[in-house]
Amino acid sequence: MTTPSQTVGPFFALGLPWADGPFAVAEDFPGAFWLRGVVLDGAGEPVPDALIEIWQADPAGRFDHPDDPRGPVATAGFRGFARCPTDTDGRYAIRTVRPGPVPGPDGHLQAPHIDVSVLARGLLDRLVTRVYFPDEAANADDPVLATVDAVRRQTLIAKETDDGIAFDITMQGDHETVFFTF
Amino acid sequence: MPDWKPPAPYRSHAPDEQPPLESPEYGSTRLRSPRQPLVALPQGLTELTGPVLGSDRVGPLDHDLTRQHDGEPQGERIEVFGRVLDGDGRPVRDTLVEVWQTNAAGRYLHAGDRHPAPLDPNFTGAGRAMTDSEGRYRFVTIKPGAYPWRNHHNAWRPAHIHFSLFGHAFTQRLVTQMYFPNDPLFDQDPIFNSVRDPAARQRLVAAFDLGATTPEWSLAYRFDIVLRGRDATPMEDEA
């Protein structure tokens, strides 16, 4: 018996963005890069009122969290969480770092990935997706990617850019991003 | 295999407890809801952990939306309080709760809000609080107003306060809205009614609590929030 979700609506900018929101890591964290993307709706139009949040492991695949059975590990300059509202062109930008591999439910390692929540007007519940890295050999053995249809799997793999990686999110339509439920 | 046991996963929602992403009565879902089925994601450590955001994110007056300016805002002063629990009734301690809302006239302090109702120079409408060791939180604010929103002919949103919660895991993240009891606008609101199960829908409605009012000062509404609970861990099963 949980409390139902409701849309974040168009006016969340009043309460949710933080000045340091887009920084999952400190600006000068070793290996830091920009994760950038555009959010598109079912008509291919940019979504200017979405909020993107991420959560991920540190470069060693560890979490600063009491439920990590390997023990919490705090890394200076690393938060692992970021939130960024999209701009008028539907774009977001998050400063982060490549996570290490993380154990899945059976203890086997999953390929490096970033969990993403998409919140927006018109979304009665958040959408959840994952960013995987291009040219990552471990993707071939990742148990989550393996459950996704081979054609649609490509929507979960980021593209390399000049200053990091790009991960576009298509909420609906021909190139609809794979969204998860758990 | 690792020499540790993975934490227990969080339980799925009951059917009709969560609103369907495609809800035609709410027009904005039309182009923003996926058409492909969602893919089941087994909960690994990324899903079973989450940001531990501390009280350093919360200032001393962040919970009191009536004291963030030089003067007092217009409107009916209220306290909104409650507990954040998981699906097994356990308190969700030390977790960040964020709220935002209109002023008493039904206007958001946001450039995109075109409702011709007055802004209030003494009201921003955003607050933050941490739950305590019992999962309790408390805000002081003014009762928000209803406002029109063009979803359908003469559409009005019932008065509501937006809530954002992290819980203790990525899986528990919740963004929702709190409504006020007996609002005559409920029947025509497609966002409220997007939750198909009437009992689940009622969990979005706060309870007026006369006993919690402050005499000669403020009315009070209780809003308990239930995040997803966990499956029992193997150890608890064996006990």
Side-chain angles (χ1 to χ4, degrees), chain A residues 24-116:
Chain A
V25 296
E27 176 93 49
D28 58 353
F29 193 87
F33 58 80
W34 286 101
L35 162 64
R36 299 178 191 273
V38 62
V39 182
L40 300 171
D41 70 11
E45 295 294 323
V47 174
D49 52 5
L51 183 72
I52 303 299
E53 291 184 346
I54 69 156
W55 172 244
Q56 64 169 78
D58 73 9
R62 300 297 288 263
F63 297 95
D64 183 14
H65 192 280
D67 287 351
D68 187 330
R70 304 164 298 175
V73 173
T75 306
F78 179 85
R79 187 169 69 195
F81 172 79
R83 61 165 40 153
C84 182
T86 55
D87 65 15
T88 51
D89 297 318
R91 299 193 168 277
Y92 71 92
I94 285 169
R95 187 83 171 160
T96 192
V97 70
R98 191 184 184 103
V102 167
D106 55 1
H108 286 104
L109 290 180
Q110 298 184 344
H113 60 268
I114 299 173
D115 275 11
V116 178

Side-chain angles (χ1 to χ4, degrees), chain A residues 1-21 40-43 46-51 53-57 61 63-70 79 81 83 102-108 110 113-117 119-130 132 144 147-148 152 171-173 176-182, chain B residues 1-2 4-7 10 12-13 17-21 23 26 28-53 57 96 98-101 108-110 112-113 124-126 128 147 157 162 164 166 168-177 179 191-192 194-195 200-201 203-204 223-228 230:
Chain A
M1 300 288 276
T2 57
T3 303
S5 168
Q6 294 273 270
T7 180
V8 76
F11 303 127
F12 63 79
L14 189 52
L16 294 187
W18 304 332
D20 65 347
L40 300 171
D41 70 11
V47 174
D49 52 5
L51 183 72
E53 291 184 346
I54 69 156
W55 172 244
Q56 64 169 78
F63 297 95
D64 183 14
H65 192 280
D67 287 351
D68 187 330
R70 304 164 298 175
R79 187 169 69 195
F81 172 79
R83 61 165 40 153
V102 167
D106 55 1
H108 286 104
Q110 298 184 344
H113 60 268
I114 299 173
D115 275 11
V116 178
S117 298
L119 296 152
R121 170 178 67 86
L123 279 179
L124 286 161
D125 197 357
R126 66 172 166 164
L127 295 175
V128 171
T129 186
R130 269 188 173 189
Y132 283 85
V144 174
T147 64
V148 177
R152 300 196 64 217
M171 299 170 81
Q172 183 192 94
E176 187 175 304
T177 302
V178 170
F179 297 108
F180 293 102
T181 182
F182 39 48
Chain B
M1 289 297 288
W4 45 264
K5 280 198 167 83
Y10 288 84
S12 303
H13 294 288
E17 193 173 58
Q18 289 296 325
L21 291 166
S23 272
Y26 174 22
S28 295
T29 66
R30 197 166 45 88
L31 288 172
R32 293 185 169 193
S33 50
R35 289 293 173 266
Q36 300 288 335
L38 303 180
V39 175
L41 177 66
Q43 296 170 37
L45 285 186
T46 313
E47 291 74 39
L48 295 168
T49 58
V52 180
L53 300 159
R57 301 216 76 90
L96 179 65
E98 297 166 291
V99 297
W100 67 103
Q101 63 168 83
Y108 287 99
L109 181 59
H110 188 290
D113 187 352
T124 299
R128 276 174 290 273
Y147 58 88
R157 291 300 327 279
H162 293 268
S164 162
F166 286 92
H168 287 161
F170 182 78
T171 310
Q172 281 189 313
R173 180 94 175 90
L174 176 69
V175 173
T176 190
Q177 300 179 25
Y179 299 91
I191 295 179
F192 178 67
S194 67
V195 180
R201 202 156 59 224
R203 294 201 285 276
L204 296 172
F223 184 53
D224 293 334
I225 299 163
V226 183
L227 306 179
R228 290 168 66 166
R230 301 186 97 144

Side-chain angles (χ1 to χ4, degrees), chain B residues 43-83:
Chain B
Q43 296 170 37
L45 285 186
T46 313
E47 291 74 39
L48 295 168
T49 58
V52 180
L53 300 159
S55 51
D56 56 321
R57 301 216 76 90
V58 179
L61 287 181
D62 282 3
H63 73 287
D64 190 339
L65 287 71
T66 68
R67 292 169 65 195
Q68 296 172 353
H69 296 269
D70 289 340
E72 280 215 71
Q74 299 284 335
E76 182 180 309
R77 189 183 299 113
I78 60 172
E79 293 180 51
V80 175
F81 69 98
R83 293 179 79 197

